[in-house]
Amino acid sequence: MVEALVVLAAALGLGLVVAVADSVALGGAAAWSDPVREGLRHLSTQPRRTLRPDVLLLRAGVVAVPVLAVLAAAVVPLGGRVLAPSSAELVWFNAAEALLWAALWLVGWGPNAVYSLVGGYRFLAQGLAYELPLMFALITVGVGAGSLRVTDVVSAQQDLWFVVTMPVAFAVFVAGSAAFAFWGPFDPPASADAGGGLLSELSGADRLLVQLGRYVFLGVSAAMAAALFLGAGQGPWLPDIGWHAVKTLAVLAVLVAVGRRLPAIRPDRFVEVSWVVLVPLTLLQALVVSVLALAGVYR
């Protein structure tokens, strides 16, 4: 029970860090408290209702987004241990992402409104395109470690971080995580040209929960990237959890900085890049890592 509360607190803390970093990147240091004020404003806002919404599906989607983001954190190593140890922890993380895909589509479908539905279908296309490369990136990590346990993956990087031999998988994992959080250039599902898309009809606590889920998922994905490719807590002088925190914050800083500087691109271009470029590249990366594993590089 205590471990579950620690993981919950860590996940929410990561989400708060992402929200504060994004506010500071947009409005300067004085904007650090904007996420708290925005959250309180959403809690005090009267919920908006559309004509004949599917309330059950909408509520299921809204609640599932932050819940799945926190569940993904259950297999991120914290101090060398995970909350939900199993022989298929990488599959657990990937399953949480896949279900997040369905939950966000329900958020777009539920209000029974045009812009919201457009945003839902945009996310559906984007999520499908980036789910496969992201899954291949996770498979590549599993091949290198010879295990689907995240703790085994971290141990396998004792001598060499996976990012050195798996740069494509690392880049695809980070980009795929940003796509699932429709972050930065991946925000067409909630962009202004679709009237706000997925978020257009959300208000009050509903909007707060979905935004919280996005931030938490991005923070948890950064922590997972640090574990899968950067050796998690491995490093001199600092304790295990200290190094993992430093590497997680570094990945988050890149996500926030790059996400706010890249120009917006048409959603069909993003989808095309994934199917035509990223899928073949991740398959080639998996092939190279398989050969290296057979050669004994990851012993």
Side-chain angles (χ1 to χ4, degrees), residues 108-284:
W109 175 273
N112 191 31
V114 173
Y115 289 136
S116 178
L117 193 60
V118 169
Y121 275 109
R122 279 187 175 182
F123 184 79
L124 202 62
Q126 180 169 289
L128 179 62
Y130 281 84
E131 171 60 27
L132 278 180
L134 197 149
M135 184 179 67
F136 290 141
L138 290 173
I139 290 173
T140 303
V141 169
V143 170
S147 172
L148 295 177
R149 295 178 189 272
V150 179
T151 47
D152 291 343
V153 172
V154 174
S155 299
Q157 301 175 73
Q158 196 76 35
D159 300 321
L160 186 67
W161 292 357
F162 278 178
V163 69
V164 176
T165 55
M166 307 177 190
V168 173
F170 174 65
V172 166
F173 181 86
V174 174
S177 300
F180 270 83
F182 43 106
W183 180 263
F186 294 97
D187 77 339
S191 62
D193 71 321
L198 274 173
L199 305 178
S200 61
E201 302 299 339
L202 294 181
S203 60
D206 292 344
R207 191 180 183 96
L208 177 62
L209 284 172
V210 172
Q211 291 284 38
L212 177 66
R214 290 178 65 199
Y215 290 137
V216 169
F217 180 74
L218 207 61
V220 169
S221 295
M224 194 60 155
L228 299 182
F229 298 98
L230 302 177
Q234 295 174 7
W237 306 309
L238 292 179
D240 182 289
I241 196 167
W243 269 116
H244 196 174
V246 168
K247 294 170 184 176
T248 300
L249 291 176
V251 175
L252 279 179
V254 171
L255 274 169
V256 171
V258 173
R260 291 300 177 190
R261 283 172 171 74
L262 290 180
I265 300 177
R266 280 172 28 200
D268 58 313
R269 293 288 175 85
F270 267 126
V271 172
E272 184 179 357
V273 166
S274 177
W275 287 113
V276 176
V277 179
L278 296 186
V279 170
L281 273 180
T282 48
L283 286 173
L284 182 61

